[in-house]
Amino acid sequence: MKLGIVVVYLVADDDDKRLLELHLSRIEQNTPEPYVIYAAASRLAAPLRLWLARRPNVKICDFSATELRGSLEHSFYLDRLVAASVGDGATHVSTLHLDSFPIRSGWATELAAKLRGRCVLSGLLRDPRYDCKPLTAFTLFTREFYLAHRPTFLLPPEVLDSPAYHRYAKACPHVADSGLGYGFKIFTENLSWLPLDRSDGDADGSGFGIFGDLVFHLGGAIYWPRTAGAKSPSLSITMTGCLEHLGRLAEAMLSRAVWDRICRAAPWTLRREVGGIVMTARKARLLADPDAFLRHLNSTRAISPG
């Protein structure tokens, strides 16, 4: 196996360096297979870009900048990173986000062995009820699949208006963000993929948790803004602590049903605020003691009813 790991790093400033260090260290710790991380870092803060470029097994790919933002920007760079890794001879390609990483050694070999016949990809499944596509926080797919079908992570407007896409949307409800194009290509070519369900509890629609007992994803670390307490130096330590406590309380109180309703019906501004508070609290706990946090998630699964 020659593994290409592709990641778009959109870190705003040094506040996220600890998360970046954790992401890279867990990849190194759990990936004995030969690998190269193909990184897009056009908007990475200059000190972090220099630090990243000096890391072993990291290749920063310089592409023409784009004015696109959000999922469009992410997909723009992912498409180019995949092409670069395959062009360098990668036999398998994996996508990760800055806030996702493998948690078990040998994950790539284990999943690659399951990609046989018409099964060409394994990926994180955010929620089987409303987002039945591979989420780019983690995928692993074969070189042969990419070269034979040339999927893209998003779809152009003319495809979104096609009867084939409407059949796909009816058969596989999904959020139309990055990863959509791979799910669509698998569907239209009568192929299959191996979804990694959340394994530490019920899927709550946020993409947070441990999936397939192999991959952790924090979710939203880049797209959701930090809470005021985490960002503003003018707030007291006490106020910051109160905001973190509020985030933990919100995380505990948001049941699967409540979060699902927020994801489906709430205005984006509300989803952003609630999601940002919860994510900030989770992130603080993860960075304080990564191993304890991951153990906590697994212990929560053990005592969850059903």
Side-chain angles (χ1 to χ4, degrees):
M1 169 183 284
K2 183 178 181 181
L3 178 64
I5 300 174
V6 302
V7 192
V8 180
Y9 294 105
L10 297 173
V11 185
D13 50 44
D14 283 342
D15 286 350
D16 278 321
K17 184 177 179 181
R18 289 173 60 208
L19 185 60
L20 178 57
E21 289 174 331
L22 176 63
H23 159 89
L24 293 172
S25 68
R26 293 305 169 106
I27 293 174
E28 182 177 5
Q29 174 183 326
N30 292 309
T31 314
E33 301 87 353
Y35 73 91
V36 174
I37 297 175
Y38 293 83
S42 62
R43 289 202 293 123
L44 192 66
L48 281 179
R49 179 187 169 93
L50 181 60
W51 177 85
L52 181 65
R54 292 171 175 168
R55 297 283 298 199
N57 300 327
V58 173
K59 178 178 181 179
I60 294 181
C61 301
D62 290 314
F63 304 116
S64 299
T66 176
E67 297 301 315
L68 299 171
R69 291 296 180 263
S71 188
L72 293 172
E73 178 185 20
H74 193 250
S75 297
F76 175 88
Y77 289 121
L78 275 185
D79 284 333
R80 286 154 180 77
L81 289 171
V82 170
S85 64
V86 172
D88 280 354
T91 62
H92 295 78
V93 179
S94 177
T95 65
L96 287 171
H97 290 179
L98 165 68
D99 60 354
S100 63
F101 49 79
I103 62 170
R104 197 163 83 215
S105 181
W107 59 276
T109 296
E110 179 177 336
L111 287 178
K114 298 177 181 179
L115 303 183
R116 299 174 178 173
R118 305 198 70 79
C119 184
V120 295
L121 178 148
S122 181
L124 188 155
L125 180 64
R126 178 158 44 195
D127 195 304
R129 297 161 297 163
Y130 79 96
D131 196 18
C132 299
K133 71 171 191 307
L135 185 66
T136 56
F138 174 75
T139 66
L140 177 73
F141 53 90
T142 63
R143 170 189 182 87
E144 290 77 15
F145 165 63
Y146 176 78
L147 290 176
H149 301 287
R150 301 286 179 172
T152 56
F153 287 96
L154 286 178
L155 297 172
E158 60 270 19
V159 175
L160 294 174
D161 289 335
S162 68
Y165 175 74
H166 292 304
R167 289 193 297 271
Y168 172 62
K170 184 176 180 180
C172 305
H174 58 267
V175 177
D177 57 11
S178 189
L180 164 63
Y182 275 61
F184 176 73
K185 182 64 70 172
I186 289 170
F187 178 82
T188 56
E189 298 297 332
N190 195 29
L191 301 170
S192 67
W193 66 289
L194 175 67
L196 299 184
D197 298 298
R198 185 170 178 184
S199 53
D200 65 308
D202 291 332
D204 64 5
S206 70
F208 163 77
I210 295 172
F211 293 81
D213 283 321
L214 290 173
V215 179
F216 169 78
H217 181 220
L218 177 62
I222 299 304
Y223 295 113
W224 275 322
R226 299 173 181 84
T227 64
K231 185 66 175 175
S232 175
S234 64
L235 289 180
S236 68
I237 294 175
T238 300
M239 179 61 73
T240 300
C242 287
L243 285 170
E244 290 186 0
H245 178 72
L246 178 62
R248 295 187 188 188
L249 182 62
E251 178 185 355
M253 292 179 63
L254 285 178
S255 67
R256 171 176 174 171
V258 171
W259 186 263
D260 185 51
R261 288 183 181 181
I262 290 174
C263 288
R264 287 173 176 268
W268 164 243
T269 52
L270 177 59
R271 297 203 306 272
R272 180 184 61 193
E273 294 303 320
V274 173
I277 291 172
V278 172
M279 183 280 298
T280 299
R282 288 170 171 168
K283 179 180 173 183
R285 293 165 65 193
L286 171 69
L287 294 179
D289 191 333
D291 290 328
F293 186 67
L294 294 174
R295 285 196 302 269
H296 166 73
L297 291 181
N298 277 319
S299 68
T300 301
R301 167 182 55 184
I303 63 175
S304 295

